[in-house]
């Protein structure tokens, strides 16, 4: 194929000159008043990509840039026994709808395929690839078997009935799947498209990841093609949110097109064309042209790519009709999309900007390919006008991209950025966080727009809204962004509000007591988080009690009246010399989180009293009494009642003197220290220590020291090199911060040694595993033995070893689940090593019976699937096992599974 087939990235000088001088066509209303150069496309791209980071679910990475987002949805998939964490939340809600998520990922990958240079010039290539990878990692995780794909996590109705941040969702989140009995060709086909498109853009930078993406894409497409049906007939909860109106034929074409582009396999192109015969048609027998590429109907993108690949007039003409519908009007009928007075192509009220942005991206791709100069100009001018409208060139002179340009939306329909602690769209009145880069639904047909949090039609955001928009921005960057740069310090830190605090007032008082009403608040939002370890301290001055001949032992503290889970301590000394004491009010075990009126704060009423019939009591000198509500006033935020979360002070002041509870302490010694020898090296690792700034590694050649410092690191691993093989080295690790250093860890040792050179004979072992959970209760592996020689090999003379650590010496059981040579011909025995080796204290020896036959030259055994477990089903820890590699999910030669012929090592190396 010529270069044009992959992507059209070069135009002749004359065409470029013509386009550069063209300013629009007269048939479009609302001619732009702003110049394309008025906007910083590098910044717009930066923010549009950032929006996807605000939508992330699961465990967030160390490079998370969204200070108000934390880990969330960490139990996703637990109800079905799979890890389904990760992916994107769909919109302003927290459901993970796989269908629009996959559609979004495909469009983003397509935009990199077409306009990679735009991302490079704006300095955003790493960011867009990272965000696409976040989605594709999730899709592969959700593809748990060749014909099984988990297509939704979260119940739409239950999710939409609650308004709060993702990090503290209180509802159950069921998982829904498609499989052979409950098919979803549209969902599987779109997910295959996303993975195939991503495999192309990662092929150069990460070929092994690209291969993994492609393997899953092929399996998913085969599933979609073989077991046909609409996903929304199988995942019925999706019907009222993302019903598959267009059916699945469009996704069968769409997925096959991308697999063809990824593999150059003609079979996929044939399938893409064949599926087009099933696309819906109008009364004239034409494919629909009065919509655009979106989360449901993919035939618009498929026909454009097929037109470019094949030149088939059916695809070319249908694409042209669609472009005419959006620009000049359809030839012969005059049909044309509605335009607002300000120039927005307005297809539908719900997410109007999303549709025009998607069509703008298609128009850019079309204009780069079509050779007719007028068609090229019409398409490109349309696309530019639509993007300019969204960025601010409209009758309101307002951007529809949050945090970009002038007068951008402030109140999107988005739960986590709003940051309500009260399960309410009206609390707080304004959003606590800026949802940078999100494209809102958009204006009406008259260009009218209301920035209202309750308007989910015009003011919601969604991952699919930004998909085509992001790709169009990448093209605008190439056209008009020369020399532009993204913001250098983005995002700027937000001004944080008080997140955890006490509101307090006097409930009652008398000559010998005071009773406090206190409400402990968790309104956290940077990020939102639940706590079961909150407490606060109430300080008082007992000088008047001492002057009257009493002491702290004469004062009682009791919780009474109303108590939602607190325990109160008797008075504790803070500064005995000055008679300052406190009571610790502890809500440990009570979950407090920003999730609703009954969830975000808990109340306690407690009384501090002197002996009966005394009258020395004086509140006026008590530290924590200052500023609380009195004289029947309601509770007010009290800065002199400090709040602690898990023992760390998070709010408020403490009296002078007497130490500083909640401040940093000397860290504890690291635990879980491991030493792994190599050739001339020892690799150390350990568990992280709370409050540690860095770690100091010390070494000795004698057990017990003396030790010499060999390095310091901020992470939890260290490689010590330049060592002598055969010498045993002893190590300790200490945690350190500004306060001081911990005690040394438990000593560990390791002896570097020469690494055996793997044997390479006529027999070779290929290995893979579909068991990516290194901490479960079974070890699973799959093998093929290949004969590259020129003689028959009797398999009964062959043995294969798999080295591992048993992690608790117990009896074990071997299973052969499948073998092409017959599972009954495969047996396994367990051998304990006399002395542990790196990554192994046992090996499984696999042997073959006489009925397994011979292995002919050039042949392989076919797949052999084995697994084994301990009889008590306790877990293994495979991460450091010699023969395990959880990343190998496609067959490849593996020299850490040694093979023996007649007792002689002929392949691989022992540990």
């Amino acid at each position: 194929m010529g270069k044009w087939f992959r992507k059209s990235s070069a135009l002749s000088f004359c065409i470029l000159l013509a386009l550069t001088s063209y300013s629009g066509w007269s048939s479009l209303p609302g001619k732009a008043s702003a110049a394309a150069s008025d906007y910083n496309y590098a910044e717009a791209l930066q923010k549009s990509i950032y929006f996807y980071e605000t939508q992330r679910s699961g465990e967030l990475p160390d490079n998370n840039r969204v200070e108000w987002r934390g880990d969330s949805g960490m139990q996703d998939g637990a109800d079905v026994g799979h890890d389904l964490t990760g992916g994107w939340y769909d919109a302003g809600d927290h459901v993970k709808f796989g269908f629009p998520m996959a559609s979004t990922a495909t469009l983003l990958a397509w935009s990199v395929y077409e306009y990679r240079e735009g991302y490079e010039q704006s300095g955003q290539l790493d960011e867009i690839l990272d965000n696409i990878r976040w989605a594709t990692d999730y899709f592969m995780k959700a593809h748990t078997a060749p014909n099984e794909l988990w297509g939704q996590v979260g119940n739409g109705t239950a999710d939409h009935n609650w308004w709060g941040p993702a990090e503290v969702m209180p509802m159950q989140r069921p998982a829904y799947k498609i499989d052979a009995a409950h098919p979803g060709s549209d969902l599987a086909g779109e997910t295959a498209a996303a993975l195939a498109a991503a495999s192309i853009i990662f092929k150069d930078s990460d070929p092994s990841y690209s291969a993994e993406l492609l393997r899953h894409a092929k399996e998913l497409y085969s599933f979609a093609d073989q077991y046909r049906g609409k996903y929304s007939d199988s995942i019925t909860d999706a019907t009222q949110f993302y019903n598959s109106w267009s059916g699945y034929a469009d996704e069968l074409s769409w997925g096959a097109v991308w697999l063809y582009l990824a593999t150059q396999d003609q079979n996929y192109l044939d399938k893409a064309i064949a599926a087009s015969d099933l696309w819906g048609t109008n009364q004239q027998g034409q494919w629909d042209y009065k919509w655009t590429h979106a989360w449901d109907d993919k035939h618009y993108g498929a026909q454009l790519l097929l037109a470019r690949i094949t030149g088939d007039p059916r695809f070319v003409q249908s694409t042209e009709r669609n472009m005419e519908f959006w620009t000049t009007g359809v030839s012969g009928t005059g049909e044309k999309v509605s335009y607002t007075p300000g120039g927005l192509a307005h297809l539908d009220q719900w997410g109007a900007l999303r549709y025009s942005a998607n069509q703008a991206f298609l128009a850019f791709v079309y204009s780069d390919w079509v050779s007719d100069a007028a068609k090229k100009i019409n398409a490109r001018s349309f696309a530019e006008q639509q993007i300019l409208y969204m960025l601010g060139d409209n009758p309101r002179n307002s951007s529809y991209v949050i945090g970009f340009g002038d007068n951008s939306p402030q109140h999107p329909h988005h739960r986590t950025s709003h940051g309500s602690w009260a399960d309410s769209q009206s609390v707080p009145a304004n959003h606590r966080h800026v949802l940078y880069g999100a494209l809102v639904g958009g204006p009406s047909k008259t260009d009218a727009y209301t920035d209202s949090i309750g308007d989910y039609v015009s003011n919601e955001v969604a991952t699919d809204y930004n998909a085509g928009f992001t790709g169009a921005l990448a093209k605008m960057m190439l056209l008009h962004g020369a020399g532009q740069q993204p913001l250098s310090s983005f995002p700027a830190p937000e001004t944080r509000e008080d997140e955890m605090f006490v509101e307090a007032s006097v409930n009652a008082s008398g000559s010998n007591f005071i009773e406090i009403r206190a409400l402990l608040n968790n309104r956290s939002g940077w990020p939102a988080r639940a706590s079961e370890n909150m407490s606060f301290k109430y300080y008082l001055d007992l000088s008047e009690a001492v002057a009257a001949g009493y002491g702290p032992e004469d004062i009682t503290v009791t919780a009474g009246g109303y108590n939602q889970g607190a325990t109160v301590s008797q008075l504790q000394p803070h500064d005995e010399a000055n008679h300052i004491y406190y009571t610790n009010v502890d809500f440990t075990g009570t979950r407090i989180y920003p999730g609703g009126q009954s969830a975000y704060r808990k109340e306690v009423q407690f009384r501090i009293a002197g002996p009966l019939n005394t009258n020395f009591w004086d509140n006026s000198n008590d530290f924590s009494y200052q500023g609380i509500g009195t004289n029947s006033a309601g509770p007010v935020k009290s800065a002199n009642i400090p709040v602690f979360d898990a023992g760390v002070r998070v709010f408020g002041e403490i009296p002078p003197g007497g130490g500083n509870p909640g401040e940093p302490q000397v860290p504890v010694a690291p635990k879980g220290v491991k030493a792994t020898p190599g050739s001339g090296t020892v690799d150390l690792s350990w568990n992280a220590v709370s409050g540690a700034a860095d770690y100091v590694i010390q070494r000795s050649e004698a057990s017990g020291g003396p030790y010499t410092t060999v390095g310091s690191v901020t992470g939890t691993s260290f490689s010590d090199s330049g060592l002598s093989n055969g010498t045993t080295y002893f190590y300790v690790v200490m945690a350190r911060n500004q306060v001081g250093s911990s005690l040394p860890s438990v000593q560990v040792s390791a002896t570097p040694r020469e690494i055996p050179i793997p044997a390479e004979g006529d027999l070779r072992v290929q290995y893979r595993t579909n068991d990516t959970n290194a901490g479960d209760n079974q070890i699973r592996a799959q093998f093929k033995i290949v004969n590259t020689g020129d003689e028959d090999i009797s398999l009964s003379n062959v043995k294969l070893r798999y080295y591992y650590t048993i992690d608790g010496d117990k009896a074990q059981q071997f299973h052969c689940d499948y073998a092409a040579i017959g599972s009954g011909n495969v047996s396994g025995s367990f051998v304990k090593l006399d002395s542990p080796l790196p990554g192994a204290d046992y090996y499984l020896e696999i042997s073959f019976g006489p009925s397994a036959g011979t292995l002919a030259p050039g042949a392989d055994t076919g797949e052999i699937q084995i697994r084994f477990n301990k009889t008590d089903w306790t877990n293994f820890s495979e991460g450091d096992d010699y023969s395990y590699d959880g990343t190998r999910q496609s067959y490849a030669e593996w020299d850490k599974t040694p093979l023996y012929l007649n007792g002689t090592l002929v392949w691989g190396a022992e540990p």
Side-chain angles (χ1 to χ4, degrees):
M1 293 291 174
K3 185 175 181 181
W4 67 270
F5 157 73
R6 182 180 184 276
K7 55 186 273 191
S8 177
S9 59
L11 297 172
S12 68
F13 174 77
C14 62
I15 294 296
L16 279 172
L17 183 61
L19 290 176
T20 302
S21 63
Y22 189 80
S23 61
W25 71 97
S26 59
S27 58
L28 276 182
K31 185 177 179 181
S33 61
S37 58
D38 288 351
Y39 300 99
N40 184 342
Y41 299 103
E43 178 191 348
L45 256 183
Q46 177 187 48
K47 291 179 175 178
S48 185
I49 294 168
Y50 172 88
F51 166 63
Y52 288 100
E53 295 173 36
T54 71
Q55 296 298 104
R56 286 178 172 179
S57 178
E59 182 179 359
L60 299 186
D62 291 341
N63 65 351
N64 171 45
R65 298 187 291 173
V66 190
E67 63 175 303
W68 45 273
R69 286 301 324 281
D71 297 346
S72 62
M74 295 303 293
Q75 295 301 310
D76 284 0
D79 60 318
V80 293
H82 291 289
D83 176 7
L84 299 179
T85 58
W88 292 320
Y89 297 121
D90 178 59
D93 57 359
H94 300 130
V95 185
K96 295 192 298 198
F97 290 109
F99 193 40
M101 191 193 307
S103 172
T104 297
T106 311
L107 267 180
L108 291 176
W110 186 11
S111 76
V112 178
Y113 176 80
E114 298 289 342
Y115 302 129
R116 191 183 194 98
E117 294 86 352
Y119 291 107
E120 290 173 341
Q121 289 183 22
S122 62
Q124 298 302 301
L125 180 61
D126 288 345
E127 285 75 7
I128 188 65
L129 292 178
D130 185 47
N131 280 282
I132 292 170
R133 189 170 190 144
W134 188 266
T136 53
D137 280 352
Y138 172 72
F139 298 146
M140 291 190 291
K141 186 185 289 188
H143 182 212
T144 49
N147 297 327
E148 182 176 83
L149 176 66
W150 296 90
Q152 181 178 325
V153 178
N155 176 273
T157 300
D159 183 276
H160 291 184
N161 285 340
W162 179 78
W163 187 270
E167 291 75 13
V168 294
M169 291 180 287
M171 74 290 292
Q172 296 296 311
R173 291 173 56 79
Y176 307 84
K177 71 173 179 177
I178 55 172
D179 55 25
H182 310 88
S185 302
D186 31 21
L187 172 61
E190 180 61 72
T191 310
L195 295 174
S199 77
I200 301 173
I201 64 174
F202 283 106
K203 188 171 184 178
D204 293 337
S205 60
D206 194 341
S208 62
Y209 185 65
S210 172
E212 184 182 14
L213 291 167
L214 190 56
R215 179 176 70 83
H216 281 276
K218 290 178 177 179
E219 285 189 359
L220 280 166
Y221 189 82
S222 177
F223 170 36
D225 195 22
Q226 182 177 359
Y227 300 98
R228 297 194 173 190
K230 285 173 50 175
Y231 97 100
S232 49
D233 290 339
S234 298
I235 303 178
T236 55
D237 187 72
T239 303
Q240 60 179 314
F241 306 102
Y242 289 101
N243 185 59
S244 183
W245 301 104
S246 67
Y248 55 77
D250 50 324
E251 281 83 16
L252 289 178
S253 289
W254 183 236
V257 166
W258 281 108
L259 277 162
Y260 174 65
L261 292 173
T263 65
Q264 300 294 291
D265 184 338
Q266 182 67 32
N267 288 326
Y268 286 119
L269 183 56
D270 294 342
K271 286 180 178 292
I273 295 170
S276 72
D277 293 334
L278 304 176
W279 296 352
T281 58
N282 60 20
Q283 291 181 345
Q284 289 72 43
Q286 300 168 328
W287 294 319
D288 185 32
Y289 51 85
K290 293 186 285 187
W291 204 255
T292 188
H293 192 100
W295 61 264
D296 180 30
D297 193 347
K298 318 300 165 32
H299 95 267
Y300 293 94
Q303 70 184 8
L304 174 54
L305 290 179
L306 287 170
R308 193 166 74 175
I309 293 167
T310 68
D312 187 323
R314 294 184 303 158
F315 301 119
V316 173
Q317 291 167 12
S318 184
T319 299
E320 288 179 348
R321 273 192 296 273
N322 175 241
M323 291 296 163
E324 289 173 350
F325 175 75
W326 282 85
T327 56
T328 58
V330 178
S331 298
T333 70
E335 296 167 298
K336 187 176 177 181
V337 71
S338 297
Y339 274 80
T340 68
L344 175 68
H346 199 283
L347 182 70
D348 187 77
Q349 181 56 47
W350 198 311
L353 296 178
R354 164 254 313 262
Y355 295 118
S356 56
N358 286 0
Q359 188 66 25
F361 174 70
L362 263 61
F364 273 139
V365 175
Y366 174 78
S367 72
D368 289 341
W369 164 66
V370 70
S371 58
D372 183 280
K375 294 175 180 177
K376 183 186 295 289
I377 291 171
N378 283 345
R380 178 179 139 177
S381 184
F382 160 81
E384 289 180 313
Q385 182 187 34
Q386 298 307 298
I387 299 303
L388 290 173
Y389 184 102
M390 297 171 203
L391 297 181
D393 187 18
N394 54 60
R396 295 179 56 249
N397 294 313
S398 300
S399 167
Y400 288 100
V401 182
I402 298 172
F404 177 87
D406 296 330
N407 193 30
S408 67
Q410 304 292 310
H411 304 282
H413 185 83
H414 189 272
R415 287 161 174 78
T416 304
S417 68
H418 179 226
S420 177
W421 54 85
D423 186 15
S424 170
Q425 292 184 14
S426 60
V427 177
N430 296 308
H431 283 50
R432 303 170 89 186
H433 314 297
V434 180
L435 191 66
Y436 286 110
L439 181 71
V440 297
S444 70
K445 288 186 176 182
T446 62
D447 297 304
Y449 167 77
T450 302
D451 184 11
S452 169
I453 190 174
D455 188 350
Y456 48 81
V457 173
S458 298
N459 220 34
E460 190 162 15
V461 299
T463 55
D464 76 293
Y465 286 20
N466 271 63
F469 176 68
T470 303
L473 287 175
K475 178 62 176 179
M476 294 291 278
M477 181 70 200
L478 290 173
L479 293 172
H480 306 293
Q484 293 181 348
Q485 296 294 322
L487 301 184
S488 59
S489 299
F490 175 81
E494 293 187 342
T495 300
R496 300 192 179 193
E497 305 163 4
D498 294 329
E499 298 181 87
M500 296 176 172
F501 54 87
V502 167
E503 296 170 300
S505 64
V506 176
N507 210 35
S509 62
S511 61
N512 71 322
F513 75 93
I514 186 170
E515 184 174 288
I516 301 295
R517 180 190 179 202
L519 295 94
L520 180 58
N521 282 250
N522 180 353
R523 304 185 188 182
S524 56
W526 284 270
R529 53 205 181 272
S531 178
E532 296 185 5
N533 297 287
M534 292 182 67
S535 63
F536 64 86
K537 299 183 190 299
Y538 186 94
Y539 291 88
L540 63 162
D541 186 336
L542 294 186
S543 297
E544 70 274 20
V546 172
Y550 296 95
E553 66 277 4
D554 299 307
I555 310 299
T556 60
V557 186
T558 55
Y562 190 66
N563 184 357
Q564 292 184 294
T567 59
V568 296
S569 75
Q570 297 308 305
L571 292 185
Q572 305 294 312
H574 173 72
D575 182 357
E576 289 184 276
N578 291 299
H579 314 302
I580 308 299
Y581 292 81
Y582 67 88
T583 178
N584 189 56
V585 183
D586 191 353
F587 278 86
T588 295
T590 298
R591 181 176 171 84
I592 309 176
Y593 66 99
Q597 292 289 343
S598 63
Y600 80 87
R601 63 183 180 184
K602 299 296 179 182
E603 181 174 341
V604 61
Q605 297 174 11
F606 60 97
R607 176 173 291 202
I608 308 172
L612 288 173
N613 302 316
T614 60
N615 58 7
F616 58 78
W617 198 264
D618 181 7
N619 299 309
S620 64
N621 62 348
D622 292 344
F623 180 82
S624 293
Y625 181 81
Q626 311 306 314
I628 69 174
T630 59
N631 299 324
S632 300
V636 297
K637 186 188 298 184
S638 303
N640 283 10
I641 302 179
V643 175
F644 301 80
D645 186 20
V648 176
R649 180 157 57 100
V650 294
F651 171 82
E653 302 297 328
I654 60 175
N660 207 2
E663 294 303 306
Q665 304 294 317
V666 174
V668 299
K671 297 180 179 180
V673 181
K674 294 182 180 179
T676 304
S679 180
T681 64
V682 172
D683 291 330
L684 295 152
S685 64
W686 54 89
N687 298 334
V689 174
S690 176
D694 66 355
Y695 302 89
V696 177
I697 300 90
Q698 295 188 329
R699 182 185 71 207
S700 175
E701 294 185 23
S703 178
Y707 300 100
T708 300
T709 298
V710 292
S712 64
V713 293
T714 56
T716 56
S717 62
F718 177 78
S719 184
D720 193 15
S721 58
L723 306 177
S724 299
N725 288 330
T727 299
T728 300
Y729 296 90
F730 301 88
Y731 295 89
V732 293
V733 182
M734 294 178 291
R736 185 171 63 179
N737 63 15
Q738 69 270 35
V739 182
S741 296
S742 73
L743 295 172
S745 68
V746 173
Q747 177 183 272
V748 294
S749 64
T751 306
R753 64 189 185 95
E754 291 288 344
I755 303 301
I757 299 175
E760 290 192 19
D762 292 339
L763 292 179
R764 300 180 175 226
V765 176
Q766 295 180 352
Y767 158 84
R768 77 174 184 183
T769 181
N770 60 3
D771 180 14
T772 57
N773 184 352
D776 61 9
N777 57 15
Q778 297 186 78
I779 292 178
R780 303 176 182 86
Q782 300 173 15
F783 305 101
K784 290 180 183 179
I785 301 173
V786 183
N787 184 0
T788 65
D790 53 14
E791 295 182 1
D792 290 344
I793 301 293
S794 174
L795 286 172
S796 62
N797 296 327
V798 174
K799 296 185 185 299
L800 185 152
R801 291 183 183 177
Y802 185 97
Y803 284 86
Y804 64 98
T805 54
I806 193 169
D807 306 304
D809 205 345
K810 302 288 175 61
Q812 299 166 82
Q813 298 171 321
F814 171 81
H815 314 272
C816 180
D817 292 328
Y818 171 80
I821 58 175
S823 57
N825 296 318
V826 182
S827 59
S829 58
F830 301 98
V831 179
K832 183 177 182 178
L833 300 179
D834 294 333
S835 299
L837 296 172
D841 50 26
Y842 262 84
Y843 65 81
L844 167 69
E845 185 164 84
I846 301 171
S847 55
F848 307 92
S851 299
T854 60
L855 192 57
D860 65 59
T861 58
E863 189 164 287
I864 302 167
Q865 298 181 6
I866 66 98
R867 61 184 170 88
F868 56 95
N869 57 273
K870 289 176 272 191
T871 55
D872 65 353
W873 292 95
T874 53
N875 288 341
F876 293 95
S877 179
E878 299 178 67
D880 57 356
D881 286 359
Y882 178 75
S883 294
Y884 173 77
D885 185 350
T887 66
R888 290 179 177 262
Q889 298 184 35
S890 299
Y891 277 115
E893 292 183 352
W894 185 233
D895 59 17
K896 292 189 176 182
T897 49
L899 193 71
Y900 303 81
L901 179 62
N902 295 318
T904 300
L905 180 67
V906 295
W907 168 257
E910 300 173 351

